Amino acid sequence: MVTKSLSKIIAEVEKKKTAKQQAAVLKENNSPALKDICWYTFFPQVEWKLPPGKPPYKSLPESTDQEGKMYSEVKMLKYFVNTPDGLNMTDIKREQLFIQVLEGLHPDDAALLCRMKDKGIKIKKAALQEAFPKEQW
């Protein structure tokens, strides 16, 4: 079975109109990486330490077979937010690392990462609460 990219899962969730429908898609595609995407986007205490907007990076061609890479790159997110790892890095180094990660991702996943940073993902809080009841949203 081919793993669905995280950007496709989030797009599918965002197309659903109700929290119950969104939660169903989240549950159906549940993975540690998907949970991390939601956590880094919606957890109130997470503060991204990068400037807003799209950074200047060279996007991979659409035909590049990197759709599953975001699953492994999720571990890098701790460097871009207000965690000890992120706060121990200079702004320049953090921004360079962010661009490096973006340039290695499928264009749709890179766009998802930029939307996460700018809190641009549209998932209802009730959907998150239903799909991941142990988390504090």
Side-chain angles (χ1 to χ4, degrees):
M1 183 170 128
V2 176
T3 303
K4 196 183 304 183
S5 74
L6 290 165
S7 58
K8 285 184 179 166
I9 294 168
I10 295 297
E12 190 178 328
V13 171
E14 289 179 313
K15 287 179 185 172
K16 301 299 180 185
K17 300 220 185 290
T18 68
K20 204 155 223 31
Q21 291 170 327
Q22 287 186 339
V25 175
L26 290 169
K27 287 178 188 177
E28 178 184 319
N29 295 282
N30 191 6
S31 71
L34 180 60
K35 226 183 254 187
D36 283 347
I37 296 283
C38 293
W39 190 83
Y40 280 102
T41 304
F42 297 105
F43 196 70
Q45 283 75 27
V46 171
E47 180 185 332
W48 286 77
K49 305 306 271 178
L50 293 162
K54 183 179 176 187
Y57 70 96
K58 293 179 183 148
S59 185
L60 288 174
E62 282 284 332
S63 60
T64 304
D65 185 22
Q66 292 292 348
E67 283 198 345
K69 190 168 183 194
M70 183 74 164
Y71 283 90
S72 63
E73 291 295 342
V74 166
K75 69 183 181 299
M76 298 298 290
L77 298 179
K78 66 183 179 182
Y79 296 109
F80 310 128
V81 298
N82 58 330
T83 61
D85 291 316
L87 295 173
N88 284 330
M89 191 177 282
T90 65
D91 290 347
I92 296 292
K93 178 68 177 164
R94 186 181 310 108
E95 290 172 28
Q96 287 173 336
L97 183 60
F98 189 69
I99 288 171
Q100 197 175 4
V101 169
L102 290 172
E103 289 179 343
L105 294 173
H106 184 275
D108 293 341
D109 284 333
L112 172 65
L113 186 51
C114 289
R115 289 179 54 221
M116 286 174 60
K117 171 184 70 71
D118 293 333
K119 307 287 184 182
I121 295 175
K122 307 294 183 213
I123 299 176
K124 297 175 186 327
K125 186 175 182 177
L128 294 168
Q129 290 168 332
E130 184 179 329
F132 311 118
K134 292 181 182 174
E135 300 295 331
Q136 297 295 317
W137 307 101

